[in-house]
Amino acid sequence: MLVIAKEPIPGRVKTRLAPPYTFAEAASLAEAALADTLHAALAMPAHRRVLVLDGHPGPWLPPGFEVVRQCDGGLDERLAAAFAACQGPTLLIGMDTPQVTPALLAPALGTDGWQDRDAWFGPAADGGFWALGLAEPDPGLLRGVPMSTAATGAAQRRRLTDAGLRVGDLPMLRDVDTAEDAERVAADAPGGRFARTLARLSRASAR
């Protein structure tokens, strides 16, 4: 299992949350989202868990993960390189969906998840994708896909089907990009670190 992420440094992560949040507050939310994501990944029956990181690990990283550095290049190249370093069925998720749970990931990581599937795809509400699984990690399935657009998810899924892969679909999730996204995601997962951090920041701003 792969988690691709940025080190939560103010001014480098979740900058679209500022305003209304400061860069430091946005980084706190990013850290909470990443921690929630990593703990969800820990609860899954993966043989290997890898954090593909832009930056350096911090106290938010729980035990149980290998850490590898993201390569240079665009997001498609970084995702492709992450898959290229793996063998066998591999599922990649990002750090922008802290509402992810083991139950949401179970179809792809269960004991029969790959019996009649060559790929798994998790669409995002903004047109991207939050999860991508490949039974045979082929980096060519990602290189050249236009990233960070409203059509990214459709293009990536089409790349899979054009390759003749049998694709299973995971539920659609909302990425945390804006303050509105943050509120809606926190409401979907009120018991998580992300929701608690957002509530703390909201209380502080109300004083």
Side-chain angles (χ1 to χ4, degrees):
M1 184 165 187
L2 305 173
V3 178
I4 189 162
K6 285 184 179 180
E7 181 184 0
I9 297 174
R12 293 195 65 235
V13 291
K14 295 297 161 207
T15 54
R16 289 173 61 189
L17 293 175
Y21 301 100
T22 67
F23 284 144
E25 290 170 337
S28 294
L29 288 167
E31 180 175 329
L34 178 53
D36 280 341
T37 303
L38 294 173
H39 280 85
L42 276 177
M44 299 308 299
H47 295 297
R48 182 184 177 210
R49 298 175 183 85
V50 181
L51 175 63
V52 186
L53 184 63
D54 177 0
H56 302 281
W60 40 263
L61 178 64
F65 282 87
E66 298 175 47
V67 179
V68 300
R69 180 182 177 275
Q70 287 185 30
C71 72
D72 296 328
L75 181 56
D76 64 318
E77 289 290 343
R78 287 178 278 142
L79 295 177
F83 275 104
C86 298
Q87 294 183 337
T90 302
L91 179 69
L92 177 144
I93 62 175
M95 63 179 284
D96 297 336
T97 50
Q99 71 274 45
V100 68
T101 63
L104 289 171
L105 297 172
L109 291 177
T111 55
D112 59 350
W114 299 96
Q115 285 186 359
D116 58 354
R117 296 287 186 272
D118 305 306
W120 284 94
F121 184 78
D126 64 359
F129 61 93
W130 66 271
L132 179 64
L134 297 173
E136 296 293 337
D138 178 0
L141 292 170
L142 294 106
R143 291 194 178 106
V145 174
M147 295 288 163
S148 302
T149 76
T152 292
Q156 181 62 73
R157 196 181 190 289
R158 186 164 55 251
R159 180 71 69 89
L160 303 176
T161 56
D162 285 352
L165 303 186
R166 298 166 298 171
V167 182
D169 289 303
L170 297 170
M172 180 177 289
L173 294 183
R174 177 177 295 274
D175 285 342
V176 175
D177 291 319
T178 66
E180 179 186 358
D181 293 333
E183 295 285 352
R184 295 179 68 171
V185 167
D188 288 339
R193 295 166 185 81
F194 182 82
R196 294 197 298 271
T197 300
L198 185 69
R200 174 176 56 80
L201 295 176
S202 297
R203 288 193 300 269
S205 65
R207 289 200 292 267

